[in-house]
Amino acid sequence: MIKPYKLISPYIVKHLLSLGLFLLMTCYSLAQNIAINPTPQTIVITGYTNTPTQFKLQPKNVDKATQHLLSTFFNETNTSNNGIAVSVGDIHAKFDKKLLKKVPQHPEGYYINSSSDNITIIGRDARGTYYGVQTLLALLASDQFPQGDIVDYPNVSARGVVEGFYGTPWSFEHRMRQLDFYGQNKLNTYIYGPKNDPYHSSPNWREPYPDAEAAQLKKLIDRAESNHLDFVWAIHPGQDIQWNNDDRAALLHKFELMYDLGIRSYAVFFDDISGEGTNPSQQAGLLNYLNTAFVKVKKDVKPLIMCPTEYNKSWSKPDGGYLETLGKELDPSIRIMWTGNRVVSDIDHETMAWINAKIQRKAFVWWNFPVSDYVRNHLLMGPTYGNGTDIANDVSGFVSNPMEHAEASKIAIYGVADYTWNMAAYQPENNRLRALQTIMPESYKALEIFTDHNSDLGPNGHQYRRVESVAFAPKAEAFLKDLESGQNIKNLEAIQAEFQAMVEASYILLSSTDNPILLDEIRPWVKQFQLLGQSGLVMLNMHAALQAKQTDAFERSYHAFKAIKTQMYQLDHTENQNPYQPGVKTATLVVAPLIEKGFAHFTNIYNQTFNKHLKVDVNYNPHQLFTTIAQLQNQQISLRDRTLTLNPPLEIIPLAPQAYFGFEVQEGTHIKKMTCKLSPTTVYKDLKLEVSNDGTHWTTVATEPKYDVLQATVNQTTKFIRIINTTSETLEVKMELFKVEVR
C-alpha cells in the first residue's frame, strides 16, 4: 500500500495552539512568498516595508565563510554611509544586551532583528551567524521586507546528504553545485562515500589518492568549508580488511593523508560486505583505536561515524548480538548509522526507540530517499514525506541518500533541509512547490506537472512506494469506472486537459534555458512523458471516433497510437541503458495504466462492433520468479528482447544450503541459454544449474565458468530453471546478473 503524506500532523496542531495560529501562519506565508528554506522556528512580524537597496554593512567577529557570503550580495554598488545599518556577528561581538538575550540557546541558532533603520544578525556561534546571513539574503530577494524578530535554530544537529548510491557517481561539477546548495539551505553535513571510488573502498582504500584526484578533493573540501559544511570523508575497508596491525596502520595513515587535505570529519562504512569484515567486535575495536589514536589526538576532528553491516532491522539477527555488541563495545562518542526497519523505509519514533536501545545511543539516520539505484528506469521527484515529525530528539543525525541525478535530487534534498531544521512546521507539498520555484524559477509550473507524475518507483524488491499523480488519480479512477461499467464517460474534458498539460509541459521543459543542467539529466524522461501524453490524447480520439462510428478515424488514431508506442519503445531501448534497470519509465502508477486500459477497451469494443481484428498489445510477462531466498522474493523480473532477467539486488545475498533462485516460465517456453554473474566467483563450484517440468524432478545442466561469468547452454523446453546451493554451508554472494534467453 502506498503511504500518503500528512499535511498537518497532531504534533503540528499542538504547536499551533502553543505558538499561536497567527504567528505560525505568518511564518508559512513568509516562507511561501520569499522562498526561504528551511522554515524558521519563530517569526514575529510587526510590519513590512519596501526592501532596502542601500546598506551600511557592519560585520563584527565573522569568520571567512560568512565574509565570503556577505560579499556575494553587499558590494560597492549597494553599500554607503547613508544606507540601512546591517550589523552581523556572533554572541562574542559587541551587541545590545537586550538583543543578546534573544539569541536562542541552541548550537547553530541565530537571531535577526529588523526595523526601518537597522538590521541585526547575531549567531549563537559562527555557523549560526552564517545561517542568519543566509536568511537575510532570502528576505532581501523579496519586494517587501519584513520588520520584526526571527528566532531560529535547527532541530537536528547533523543534517545533510550521504553520497552513497550505486551507479554513476556525481561529477566534480555536480558536487560543487551540491555543496553550494547545501549551504544555501542550512544543511551542515556532506558524507562522501561513492561506491565507485576505488580509493574509498576495496581494493585501493589503503592507497593514497593520485595527485589529480587529491587536487579535486581539496577543492571540494574547501568549497564545503566556505558553505559551513562538514565534509565527512568515508572509507569502506570491510570487504578485504585484515584484522591486524598492518591494516590498522594503513587505515591510520590514510586518515592522516586525508587530514592533510583538510578533512576534519570521518566515517567508516561496513555496509554490503561479507566474510571476516562483518565481525562486530573487530569493527568496534578498530573504530575505538581510530578514536583514541587519531580523533582525540587531533583535537579538531569531529566524532566518528560508522555504518554497520546490519544497518536495518530486517537484517538484524535476533540471536546474533551484532548490534548489541556495537552498543556495548563501541566508544559512546561514535555515531552509528541506521536506515530503518528495512533497507529503504521511512523513520518514526518506534523505529528509533528500537535501534537506540540496541546500540545504547541515538542512531544516525541514513534515509534511502530519493536514491533510485534499485529502480534506475524511474525518477523520484515527488515531495519529501513519510518520516515522523516527533523524532528530533531520537536521532544524532539525518542524511538523505540521493539519486545519481544530482540536480533532480535537489527537490528531495530541499525538503530534507526543511524537515530536519523545523519538523513541527514541515509541510511536504508546500515545500515541494518552493523547491520547484528555486530549482527552475521560470519554468517551475511545467516542472510541477512533470514531477506530479514522476515520483513513484514502480514495483521493486524493497517494496517502497510513493504517491504519484495525486490530484489526477481520482479522475482516472472515475474514468475507468465509467469505462468498465459501459456508462458514458463523464469527465472526458478533465482527462483530456491532463494529457494536454503533459504534452505542453514537456515542450516547455525541452526548450527551457532555465536550468540546462537539470534538463540534461531528465531529458529522456521528459521526452517519454511527452509521448505518453500524446498517446493519451490519441486514445481519447479513438473513443470519439468509436462514439461517432467513424471507422476510418478510429483506425487512423489506432495506428497513430501504435506508432507512438513504437517511439516510446525505441526511447526505452536507447536511453539510460544501465545494466540493472535499463530504460525510461514515466508516470507508471496512474497515467500509463489508464492509457493502456483505455486503448485496450476501445480496441476490443471496435473489434466486436465492426467485426475487426486489430491487435491489442499489453505489457505482458507470463513468467515468474522462482526462489526460496527471502531477500529475493520481492525482486522484479523483466522480459526484454526475449531475455528474461532478474533485477539484481545491490546488497549481499545469503544462500543457505539447498537455497535456490530461478524462474518459473510459461508452459512450452524454450530456454536457449543461461548467464549468471556472482561474486566471489569461487562460489561457482558450489552451485548447480537444474531444470524441471514439474518442480519436483530435476535434471542437472552442465555449466561453464568463463572469465567471471557462469554460463550454460540449456537448449530445451522446460517449466522451471534454477541455480541451487549444493553445499552444507551458507554462501554469501553479490549478484550482478542472472538471465535466460527464451523463445
Side-chain angles (χ1 to χ4, degrees):
M1 178 179 293
I2 300 171
K3 183 178 180 181
Y5 53 84
K6 299 178 181 178
L7 294 181
I8 300 181
S9 72
Y11 192 71
I12 293 178
V13 173
K14 175 183 176 182
H15 279 257
L16 286 174
L17 296 174
S18 62
L19 293 176
L21 180 62
F22 171 76
L23 294 182
L24 194 56
M25 293 312 294
T26 300
C27 174
Y28 288 156
S29 175
L30 184 70
Q32 292 176 37
N33 296 332
I34 304 180
I36 181 171
N37 194 64
T39 305
Q41 298 287 345
T42 305
I43 300 181
V44 178
I45 304 298
T46 58
Y48 288 89
T49 185
N50 290 333
T51 299
T53 57
Q54 289 294 309
F55 309 90
K56 182 180 180 181
L57 183 62
Q58 299 173 331
K60 303 178 180 182
N61 192 35
V62 297
D63 65 4
K64 185 178 179 180
T66 304
Q67 289 175 17
H68 173 73
L69 181 61
L70 289 167
S71 71
T72 63
F73 181 85
F74 298 100
N75 53 55
E76 59 184 16
T77 65
N78 62 13
T79 55
S80 68
N81 288 330
N82 297 323
I84 184 172
V86 179
S87 301
V88 182
D90 64 17
I91 57 173
H92 301 294
K94 292 183 179 180
F95 288 103
D96 186 294
K97 291 183 179 180
K98 292 182 180 178
L99 297 181
L100 286 170
K101 289 181 179 179
K102 295 185 178 181
V103 180
Q105 299 288 326
H106 294 268
E108 304 184 2
Y110 65 89
Y111 167 69
I112 298 180
N113 173 263
S114 61
S115 66
S116 58
D117 301 319
N118 295 281
I119 300 172
T120 302
I121 302 172
I122 309 174
R124 169 55 54 184
D125 46 34
R127 191 167 276 174
T129 307
Y130 176 86
Y131 290 154
V133 174
Q134 287 285 13
T135 295
L136 174 63
L137 297 185
L139 297 176
L140 291 173
S142 173
D143 293 335
Q144 293 293 306
F145 188 80
Q147 297 179 342
D149 289 350
I150 299 177
V151 179
D152 201 13
Y153 54 87
N155 287 154
V156 179
S157 58
R159 314 166 304 280
V161 168
V162 52
E163 187 184 338
F165 54 83
Y166 292 88
T168 305
W170 287 344
S171 68
F172 171 77
E173 292 75 16
H174 273 305
R175 288 178 181 137
M176 294 289 270
R177 288 174 58 85
Q178 287 285 315
L179 298 176
D180 290 342
F181 187 74
Y182 304 160
Q184 292 161 9
N185 291 282
K186 304 185 180 74
L187 294 169
N188 65 6
T189 302
Y190 166 65
I191 303 178
Y192 174 89
K195 302 296 187 187
N196 291 26
D197 178 350
Y199 297 96
H200 146 85
S201 189
S202 299
N204 295 331
W205 62 265
R206 301 170 183 84
E207 304 298 324
Y209 280 94
D211 290 344
E213 285 88 336
Q216 283 203 335
L217 272 175
K218 175 60 177 171
K219 291 178 181 178
L220 292 171
I221 294 163
D222 291 345
R223 182 64 71 92
E225 185 177 355
S226 72
N227 284 283
H228 259 292
L229 269 166
D230 291 336
F231 189 110
V232 185
W233 182 77
I235 193 165
H236 191 265
Q239 192 58 55
D240 65 356
I241 193 169
Q242 303 297 310
W243 302 118
N244 56 36
N245 290 333
D246 287 346
D247 268 2
R248 280 192 174 194
L251 196 54
L252 186 60
H253 179 63
K254 189 65 171 276
F255 272 34
E256 289 283 2
L257 292 174
M258 302 311 298
Y259 185 89
D260 292 342
L261 281 179
I263 295 294
R264 296 297 182 268
S265 299
Y266 296 80
V268 183
F269 289 175
F270 291 105
D271 58 319
D272 300 341
I273 62 172
S274 58
E276 290 299 316
T278 64
N279 186 304
S281 289
Q282 296 284 14
Q283 291 175 1
L286 178 64
L287 285 158
N288 289 339
Y289 167 75
L290 293 171
N291 186 55
T292 301
F294 185 80
V295 176
K296 291 182 178 179
V297 171
K298 294 298 186 184
K299 305 296 185 185
D300 59 348
V301 173
K302 297 202 170 182
L304 291 171
I305 302 171
M306 76 150 328
C307 182
T309 306
E310 294 181 12
Y311 55 78
N312 67 88
K313 187 176 181 180
S314 67
W315 287 9
S316 124
K317 303 175 181 66
D319 56 350
Y322 175 90
L323 294 171
E324 290 84 352
T325 299
L326 291 182
K328 180 180 178 181
E329 298 183 9
L330 200 62
D331 186 279
S333 68
I334 299 173
R335 293 166 286 178
I336 301 176
M337 305 191 86
W338 189 246
T339 68
N341 290 337
R342 299 178 60 86
V343 175
V344 185
S345 64
D346 297 328
I347 311 297
D348 57 20
H349 177 72
E350 183 181 358
T351 298
M352 298 311 302
W354 187 90
I355 181 58
N356 290 349
K358 294 278 186 184
I359 62 175
Q360 300 180 36
R361 70 201 71 201
K362 296 178 181 180
F364 192 110
V365 173
W366 172 320
W367 190 39
N368 272 319
F369 181 83
V371 64
S372 59
D373 54 15
Y374 58 105
V375 284
R376 298 182 201 188
N377 48 11
H378 285 75
L379 291 177
L380 278 58
M381 297 182 70
T384 301
Y385 71 95
N387 298 302
T389 56
D390 57 350
I391 65 170
N393 294 325
D394 300 327
V395 303
S396 59
F398 191 107
V399 290
S400 160
N401 190 18
M403 295 183 281
E404 65 179 62
H405 313 292
E407 200 72 14
S409 295
K410 285 183 175 179
I411 296 173
I413 295 169
Y414 190 92
V416 169
D418 198 5
Y419 165 76
T420 54
W421 185 275
N422 188 349
M423 286 190 184
Y426 181 63
Q427 294 187 346
E429 185 56 33
N430 175 278
N431 177 273
R432 181 181 79 103
L433 294 176
R434 288 190 281 121
L436 298 176
Q437 294 176 45
T438 300
I439 293 164
M440 203 168 231
E442 300 298 326
S443 306
Y444 71 89
K445 290 185 178 179
L447 185 61
E448 180 183 358
I449 293 170
F450 176 75
T451 58
D452 280 347
H453 300 296
N454 283 277
S455 55
D456 186 44
L457 304 77
N460 62 86
H462 293 303
Q463 303 181 71
Y464 188 74
R465 303 299 296 270
R466 298 275 86 179
V467 295
E468 186 172 276
S469 311
V470 175
F472 182 65
K475 302 172 187 177
E477 184 179 359
F479 176 92
L480 291 174
K481 184 177 180 181
D482 287 345
L483 199 70
E484 292 165 0
S485 63
Q487 300 180 15
N488 289 330
I489 301 171
K490 295 182 282 294
N491 64 349
L492 272 174
E493 290 185 1
I495 301 297
Q496 183 179 28
E498 192 71 23
F499 295 153
Q500 187 68 33
M502 290 170 58
V503 174
E504 292 171 353
S506 301
Y507 276 111
I508 292 170
L509 291 175
L510 290 171
S511 62
S512 174
T513 59
D514 211 359
N515 188 336
I517 294 175
L518 174 64
L519 185 57
D520 283 347
E521 290 181 348
I522 68 174
R523 188 186 307 274
W525 284 268
V526 177
K527 289 180 178 179
Q528 196 76 302
F529 188 68
Q530 183 181 56
L531 290 170
L532 183 65
Q534 291 171 345
S535 73
L537 292 173
V538 172
M539 180 269 291
L540 294 181
N541 288 343
M542 292 169 61
H543 169 68
L546 189 62
Q547 293 293 100
K549 298 183 178 179
Q550 297 174 344
T551 56
D552 287 346
F554 184 92
E555 294 199 14
R556 183 175 62 249
S557 294
Y558 169 87
H559 290 296
F561 185 95
K562 299 281 286 184
I564 293 171
K565 293 293 285 185
T566 298
Q567 291 182 46
M568 294 179 71
Y569 177 88
Q570 292 170 345
L571 187 66
D572 189 53
H573 283 66
T574 54
E575 298 279 3
N576 187 36
Q577 296 303 294
N578 67 82
Y580 291 90
Q581 297 88 36
V584 181
K585 305 299 182 188
T586 183
T588 56
L589 185 62
V590 176
V591 177
L594 167 67
I595 294 171
E596 290 169 1
K597 290 176 182 177
F599 168 77
H601 179 85
F602 297 140
T603 303
N604 283 326
I605 294 296
Y606 179 81
N607 286 337
Q608 294 169 13
T609 303
F610 298 100
N611 193 28
K612 299 284 186 173
H613 303 283
L614 298 179
K615 292 182 179 180
V616 180
D617 296 329
V618 294
N619 296 321
Y620 179 56
N621 184 355
H623 315 298
Q624 300 179 44
L625 182 65
F626 182 63
T627 183
T628 56
I629 303 166
Q631 197 172 325
L632 292 179
Q633 285 174 352
N634 293 298
Q635 288 297 120
Q636 297 299 299
I637 63 173
S638 60
L639 180 62
R640 184 182 173 96
D641 299 329
R642 297 186 179 181
T643 299
L644 185 59
T645 304
L646 168 61
N647 291 346
L650 300 170
E651 302 80 25
I652 300 295
I653 306 167
L655 299 180
Q658 299 303 303
Y660 57 82
F661 60 89
F663 300 113
E664 178 182 352
V665 298
Q666 185 183 36
E667 202 76 45
T669 297
H670 186 86
I671 297 177
K672 296 174 62 180
K673 184 178 178 181
M674 183 282 306
T675 305
C676 182
K677 185 177 181 181
L678 305 173
S679 59
T681 57
T682 52
V683 302
Y684 290 158
K685 61 181 173 46
D686 300 321
L687 302 176
K688 183 188 296 184
L689 180 66
E690 298 179 330
V691 295
S692 171
N693 288 317
D694 58 10
T696 301
H697 302 91
W698 295 89
T699 302
T700 300
V701 177
T703 58
E704 177 187 5
K706 188 174 183 180
Y707 302 110
D708 57 351
V709 175
L710 189 67
Q711 296 180 337
T713 300
V714 182
N715 205 24
Q716 59 181 289
T717 300
T718 187
K719 178 69 174 172
F720 299 91
I721 182 169
R722 71 181 184 184
I723 288 180
I724 185 169
N725 175 11
T726 61
T727 74
S728 59
E729 303 291 333
T730 295
L731 306 175
E732 293 186 326
V733 302
K734 183 77 177 289
M735 179 187 294
E736 296 185 46
L737 177 68
F738 178 63
K739 67 180 183 179
V740 297
E741 297 176 19
V742 300
R743 67 182 183 189

